[in-house]
Coordinates of all heavy atoms in Angstrom, one line a residue:
F1 N 129.3 98.5 73.7 CA 128.9 99.8 73.6 C 127.5 99.9 74.4 O 126.9 101.1 74.3 CB 128.6 100.1 72.1 CG 129.9 100.1 71.3 CD1 130.3 99.0 70.5 CD2 130.8 101.2 71.4 CE1 131.5 99.0 69.8 CE2 132.0 101.2 70.7 CZ 132.2 100.1 69.8
A2 N 127.0 98.9 75.0 CA 125.8 99.0 75.8 C 126.1 99.8 77.1 O 127.1 99.9 77.5 CB 125.4 97.5 76.1
S3 N 125.0 100.6 77.4 CA 125.1 101.5 78.6 C 125.1 100.7 80.0 O 125.6 101.2 80.9 CB 123.9 102.4 78.6 OG 122.7 101.8 78.7
S4 N 124.6 99.4 79.9 CA 124.6 98.5 81.1 C 124.5 97.1 80.7 O 124.1 96.8 79.6 CB 123.4 99.0 82.0 OG 122.2 98.8 81.3
L5 N 124.8 96.2 81.7 CA 124.8 94.8 81.2 C 123.3 94.3 81.5 O 123.0 93.3 80.8 CB 125.7 94.1 82.2 CG 127.2 94.3 82.0 CD1 127.9 93.5 83.2 CD2 127.7 94.0 80.7
L6 N 122.6 94.8 82.4 CA 121.3 94.2 82.7 C 120.1 95.2 82.4 O 120.3 96.4 82.4 CB 121.3 93.9 84.2 CG 122.4 92.9 84.7 CD1 122.3 92.7 86.2 CD2 122.2 91.5 84.0
D7 N 118.9 94.6 82.2 CA 117.8 95.4 81.9 C 117.1 96.0 83.2 O 116.9 95.2 84.1 CB 116.7 94.4 81.3 CG 115.6 95.2 80.7 OD1 115.4 96.4 81.0 OD2 114.7 94.5 79.9
A8 N 116.8 97.2 83.2 CA 116.3 97.9 84.4 C 115.0 97.3 84.8 O 114.6 97.4 86.0 CB 116.2 99.4 84.1
R9 N 114.2 96.7 83.9 CA 112.8 96.3 84.1 C 112.7 95.2 85.1 O 111.8 95.2 86.0 CB 112.1 95.9 82.7 CG 111.9 97.0 81.8 CD 111.2 96.7 80.5 NE 112.2 95.7 79.8 CZ 111.9 95.3 78.6 NH1 110.8 95.5 78.0 NH2 112.8 94.5 77.9
G10 N 113.7 94.3 85.2 CA 113.7 93.2 86.2 C 113.7 93.7 87.6 O 113.0 93.4 88.4
L11 N 114.7 94.6 87.8 CA 114.9 95.3 89.1 C 113.7 96.0 89.5 O 113.2 96.0 90.7 CB 116.1 96.1 89.1 CG 116.5 96.9 90.4 CD1 116.5 95.9 91.6 CD2 117.8 97.6 90.3
K12 N 113.1 96.8 88.6 CA 111.9 97.6 88.9 C 110.7 96.8 89.3 O 110.0 97.2 90.2 CB 111.5 98.5 87.7 CG 112.6 99.6 87.5 CD 112.2 100.5 86.3 CE 113.1 101.7 86.1 NZ 112.9 102.5 84.9
Q13 N 110.6 95.6 88.6 CA 109.5 94.7 88.9 C 109.8 94.0 90.4 O 108.8 93.8 91.1 CB 109.5 93.6 88.0 CG 108.9 94.2 86.6 CD 109.0 93.2 85.4 OE1 109.6 92.1 85.6 NE2 108.6 93.7 84.2
V14 N 111.0 93.8 90.8 CA 111.3 93.2 92.1 C 111.0 94.3 93.1 O 110.3 93.8 94.2 CB 112.8 92.7 92.0 CG1 113.2 92.5 93.5 CG2 113.1 91.5 91.3
I15 N 111.4 95.4 92.9 CA 111.1 96.5 93.8 C 109.5 96.6 94.0 O 109.0 96.7 95.2 CB 111.6 97.8 93.4 CG1 113.2 97.8 93.5 CG2 111.0 98.9 94.2 CD1 113.8 99.0 92.8
A16 N 108.8 96.5 92.9 CA 107.2 96.6 93.0 C 106.7 95.4 93.8 O 105.6 95.6 94.5 CB 106.7 96.7 91.6
R17 N 107.3 94.2 93.6 CA 106.8 93.1 94.3 C 107.1 93.1 95.8 O 106.3 92.7 96.8 CB 107.4 91.8 93.8 CG 106.9 91.4 92.4 CD 107.7 90.2 91.8 NE 107.6 89.0 92.5 CZ 108.2 87.9 92.2 NH1 108.8 87.9 91.1 NH2 108.0 86.8 92.9
L18 N 108.2 93.8 96.2 CA 108.5 93.8 97.7 C 107.9 94.9 98.4 O 107.7 94.8 99.6 CB 110.1 93.8 97.7 CG 110.8 92.5 97.3 CD1 112.3 92.8 97.2 CD2 110.6 91.5 98.4
V19 N 107.8 96.0 97.7 CA 107.3 97.3 98.4 C 105.9 97.7 98.0 O 105.7 98.1 96.8 CB 108.3 98.4 98.1 CG1 107.8 99.7 98.9 CG2 109.7 98.1 98.4
P20 N 104.9 97.4 99.0 CA 103.6 97.7 98.5 C 103.2 99.2 98.4 O 102.3 99.5 97.6 CB 102.8 97.1 99.6 CG 103.7 97.1 100.9 CD 105.1 96.8 100.2
A21 N 103.8 100.1 99.1 CA 103.7 101.4 99.0 C 104.3 102.1 97.7 O 105.4 101.6 97.3 CB 104.1 102.2 100.3
T22 N 103.7 103.1 97.2 CA 104.3 103.8 96.0 C 104.7 105.3 96.3 O 105.3 105.8 95.4 CB 103.3 103.8 94.8 OG1 102.0 104.5 95.3 CG2 102.9 102.3 94.4
R23 N 104.3 105.7 97.4 CA 104.6 107.1 97.8 C 105.3 107.1 99.1 O 104.9 106.4 100.1 CB 103.4 108.0 97.7 CG 102.6 108.1 96.5 CD 101.5 109.1 96.7 NE 100.7 108.9 97.9 CZ 100.0 109.8 98.6 NH1 99.9 111.1 98.0 NH2 99.3 109.5 99.6
F24 N 106.1 108.1 99.4 CA 106.8 108.3 100.7 C 105.7 108.6 101.7 O 105.8 108.2 103.0 CB 107.9 109.4 100.7 CG 109.2 108.9 100.0 CD1 109.5 109.2 98.7 CD2 110.2 108.4 100.9 CE1 110.7 108.7 98.2 CE2 111.4 107.9 100.4 CZ 111.7 108.2 99.0
D25 N 104.7 109.3 101.3 CA 103.7 109.7 102.3 C 102.8 108.6 102.8 O 102.1 108.6 103.8 CB 102.8 110.7 101.7 CG 103.4 112.1 101.5 OD1 104.5 112.4 102.2 OD2 102.9 113.0 100.8
D26 N 102.9 107.4 102.1 CA 102.1 106.3 102.5 C 102.8 105.4 103.6 O 102.2 104.5 104.0 CB 101.8 105.3 101.2 CG 101.0 106.1 100.2 OD1 100.1 107.0 100.6 OD2 101.1 105.7 99.0
L27 N 104.1 105.7 103.9 CA 104.9 104.9 104.8 C 104.4 105.2 106.2 O 104.2 106.4 106.6 CB 106.4 105.1 104.5 CG 106.9 104.9 103.2 CD1 108.4 105.3 103.1 CD2 106.7 103.4 102.9
K28 N 104.5 104.3 107.1 CA 104.1 104.3 108.4 C 105.2 104.8 109.2 O 105.1 105.3 110.4 CB 103.7 102.9 109.1 CG 102.5 102.4 108.3 CD 102.1 101.0 108.8 CE 100.9 100.5 107.9 NZ 99.7 101.1 107.9
I29 N 106.5 104.6 108.8 CA 107.7 105.2 109.4 C 108.5 106.0 108.4 O 108.6 105.6 107.2 CB 108.7 104.0 109.9 CG1 107.9 103.1 111.0 CG2 109.9 104.5 110.5 CD1 108.6 101.8 111.3
P30 N 108.9 107.2 108.8 CA 109.7 108.0 107.9 C 111.0 107.3 107.4 O 111.7 106.6 108.0 CB 110.1 109.3 108.7 CG 109.1 109.3 109.8 CD 108.8 107.9 110.1
L31 N 111.2 107.4 106.0 CA 112.2 106.7 105.4 C 113.1 107.7 104.6 O 112.6 108.5 103.9 CB 111.6 105.7 104.4 CG 112.6 105.0 103.4 CD1 113.6 104.0 104.2 CD2 111.9 104.2 102.4
T32 N 114.4 107.6 104.6 CA 115.3 108.3 103.8 C 116.1 107.3 102.8 O 116.6 106.3 103.3 CB 116.4 109.1 104.6 OG1 115.7 110.1 105.4 CG2 117.4 109.8 103.6
V33 N 115.9 107.6 101.5 CA 116.6 106.8 100.6 C 117.8 107.5 99.9 O 117.6 108.7 99.6 CB 115.6 106.4 99.5 CG1 116.3 105.6 98.3 CG2 114.5 105.6 100.1
T34 N 118.9 106.9 99.8 CA 120.1 107.6 99.3 C 120.4 107.2 97.8 O 120.1 106.1 97.5 CB 121.3 107.4 100.1 OG1 121.9 106.1 99.8 CG2 121.1 107.6 101.5
A35 N 120.9 108.2 97.0 CA 121.4 107.9 95.7 C 122.6 108.8 95.4 O 123.0 109.7 96.3 CB 120.3 108.2 94.6
T36 N 123.4 108.5 94.4 CA 124.6 109.3 94.1 C 124.4 109.9 92.7 O 123.9 109.3 91.7 CB 125.7 108.4 94.0 OG1 126.0 107.7 95.2 CG2 127.0 109.2 93.6
D37 N 124.6 111.4 92.7 CA 124.6 112.0 91.3 C 125.9 111.7 90.6 O 127.0 112.0 91.2 CB 124.5 113.5 91.7 CG 124.3 114.3 90.5 OD1 125.1 114.2 89.5 OD2 123.4 115.2 90.4
L38 N 125.8 111.0 89.6 CA 127.0 110.5 88.9 C 127.8 111.8 88.2 O 129.1 111.5 88.0 CB 126.5 109.6 87.7 CG 126.1 108.3 88.0 CD1 125.6 107.5 86.9 CD2 127.0 107.5 88.9
D39 N 127.2 112.9 88.1 CA 128.0 114.0 87.5 C 128.6 114.9 88.6 O 129.7 115.4 88.5 CB 127.0 114.9 86.6 CG 126.6 114.1 85.5 OD1 127.4 113.4 84.7 OD2 125.3 113.8 85.3
S40 N 127.9 115.2 89.7 CA 128.4 116.1 90.7 C 129.1 115.2 91.8 O 129.9 115.9 92.6 CB 127.3 116.9 91.3 OG 126.5 116.1 92.1
G41 N 128.8 114.0 92.0 CA 129.3 113.3 93.1 C 128.5 113.4 94.3 O 129.0 112.8 95.4
E42 N 127.5 114.2 94.4 CA 126.8 114.4 95.6 C 126.0 113.2 96.0 O 125.5 112.5 95.2 CB 125.7 115.6 95.3 CG 126.4 117.0 95.1 CD 125.4 118.0 94.6 OE1 124.4 117.7 93.8 OE2 125.4 119.1 95.1
L43 N 125.9 113.2 97.3 CA 124.9 112.2 98.0 C 123.6 112.7 98.0 O 123.4 113.8 98.6 CB 125.4 111.7 99.4 CG 124.6 110.6 100.0 CD1 124.6 109.3 99.4 CD2 125.1 110.5 101.5
V44 N 122.6 112.2 97.4 CA 121.2 112.8 97.3 C 120.4 112.0 98.2 O 120.4 110.7 98.2 CB 120.8 112.8 95.8 CG1 119.3 113.3 95.6 CG2 121.7 113.5 94.8
L45 N 119.5 112.7 98.9 CA 118.6 112.1 99.8 C 117.2 112.3 99.4 O 116.8 113.4 99.1 CB 118.8 112.7 101.3 CG 120.2 112.6 101.9 CD1 120.1 113.1 103.3 CD2 120.8 111.3 101.9
F46 N 116.4 111.3 99.4 CA 115.0 111.3 99.1 C 114.2 110.9 100.3 O 114.6 110.1 101.1 CB 114.6 110.4 98.0 CG 115.2 110.8 96.6 CD1 116.2 110.0 96.1 CD2 114.7 111.8 95.9 CE1 116.7 110.4 94.9 CE2 115.2 112.1 94.7 CZ 116.3 111.4 94.2

């Protein structure tokens, strides 16, 4: 009945260790990040 097998905190901490910037505006090269809307099926771009 769990919503997922793994704890999100571990992955979030790994992301923080690897990526020093916290805002898109801090990046030296423009970046597009993709995700999927689980309800609409849309490919979402950030």
Side-chain angles (χ1 to χ4, degrees):
F1 296 101
S3 60
S4 62
L5 295 175
L6 304 177
D7 188 354
R9 289 177 294 182
L11 176 56
K12 290 179 178 180
Q13 290 169 0
V14 166
I15 291 170
R17 288 173 64 179
L18 289 169
V19 182
T22 59
R23 304 186 309 156
F24 280 95
D25 288 345
D26 295 332
L27 301 176
K28 303 179 186 300
I29 300 174
L31 171 72
T32 297
V33 175
T34 75
T36 302
D37 187 311
L38 290 178
D39 297 304
S40 69
E42 292 170 321
L43 180 67
V44 178
L45 308 184
F46 294 104

